[in-house]
Amino acid sequence: MTTIMNNKTLITLVAQREILTKFNIDNDEFSIFTIFDPYIKNEFKSLIKIASKNRALWTVKATNTSDAAINHIALVNMVHTHSIFRWNDKVFAEQQHSVRTKFLEKTPANQRCAKKNSYVSSFTRSLFELHCLNPSYDGVNWDSVQRNVKYVISITLLGLLYVLCSNIRVLI
């Protein structure tokens, strides 16, 4: 196994149906996304992207949240330990097996159950902490983020309208 130098995990965010891990390796910013595909029943996709490229470099699928979370960490490990030129199905399968085995060996039986359609669980927290990804759950609910963005935009537009109306009165 080859370890790539100069790597740094920037952030791991876990939401109900999404996981995002971002890190830098040799001046390239990698993102690994795991999402629930709402158009295909029980399909979870994990993919690797590099900021400088506008496409997925590697994609895997799962049919449940526990396998999807394991796939996510296997992809993170694959990127951290192997050059992009060495990525292949065998390397991914080895990483996936390693993640699963380490989790089963070190996690109590009562924390081995994932929620059906949510990553926000003791299963995911234990899995990610075991692999030193230290996920952040605080305030990461994409539905509420979208609602809050609409709220912020509304307030900003009202404030802008107020400023424009105030300036019109001054001009008149």
Side-chain angles (χ1 to χ4, degrees):
M1 185 183 303
T2 308
T3 302
I4 298 173
M5 302 308 283
N6 302 322
N7 59 48
K8 177 184 174 189
T9 298
L10 299 177
I11 192 166
T12 296
L13 301 173
V14 177
Q16 184 174 357
R17 294 192 172 196
E18 299 88 9
I19 303 172
L20 167 64
T21 300
K22 294 181 93 167
F23 49 89
N24 288 334
I25 295 178
D26 296 331
N27 298 322
D28 282 323
E29 184 178 296
F30 286 82
S31 298
I32 299 181
F33 299 91
T34 298
I35 58 171
F36 174 73
D37 190 337
Y39 301 107
I40 301 174
K41 187 177 180 179
N42 295 328
E43 184 167 282
F44 300 81
K45 293 181 182 176
S46 298
L47 57 100
I48 302 170
K49 289 183 85 173
I50 297 179
S52 61
K53 308 288 183 200
N54 196 18
R55 62 184 175 88
L57 299 177
W58 189 273
T59 305
V60 293
K61 296 177 184 176
T63 57
N64 58 60
T65 53
S66 53
D67 287 345
I70 288 169
N71 286 349
H72 186 92
I73 294 174
L75 289 176
V76 170
N77 290 347
M78 185 172 76
V79 172
H80 273 275
T81 58
H82 292 81
S83 160
I84 192 170
F85 304 109
R86 303 233 186 258
W87 296 354
N88 59 49
D89 291 337
K90 182 181 176 189
V91 169
F92 174 73
E94 289 170 356
Q95 294 296 331
Q96 191 181 39
H97 177 73
S98 174
V99 170
R100 190 179 311 275
T101 302
K102 185 175 180 181
F103 181 73
L104 291 175
E105 287 174 356
K106 300 199 177 206
T107 306
N110 65 346
Q111 293 181 355
R112 292 184 191 163
C113 252
K115 290 183 180 177
K116 183 173 179 170
N117 287 321
S118 177
Y119 295 114
V120 180
S121 67
S122 60
F123 167 84
T124 308
R125 184 177 295 278
S126 298
L127 182 65
F128 277 68
E129 287 175 355
L130 182 63
H131 291 276
C132 300
L133 289 176
N134 300 320
S136 170
Y137 292 86
D138 300 337
V140 184
N141 177 336
W142 300 119
D143 295 332
S144 69
V145 168
Q146 289 172 349
R147 282 193 300 272
N148 288 340
V149 167
K150 291 175 186 174
Y151 180 72
V152 169
I153 289 172
S154 299
I155 289 176
T156 304
L157 289 174
L158 284 173
L160 184 61
L161 186 60
Y162 175 77
V163 169
L164 288 173
C165 289
S166 298
N167 287 338
I168 289 173
R169 278 190 235 147
V170 170
L171 293 174
I172 296 180

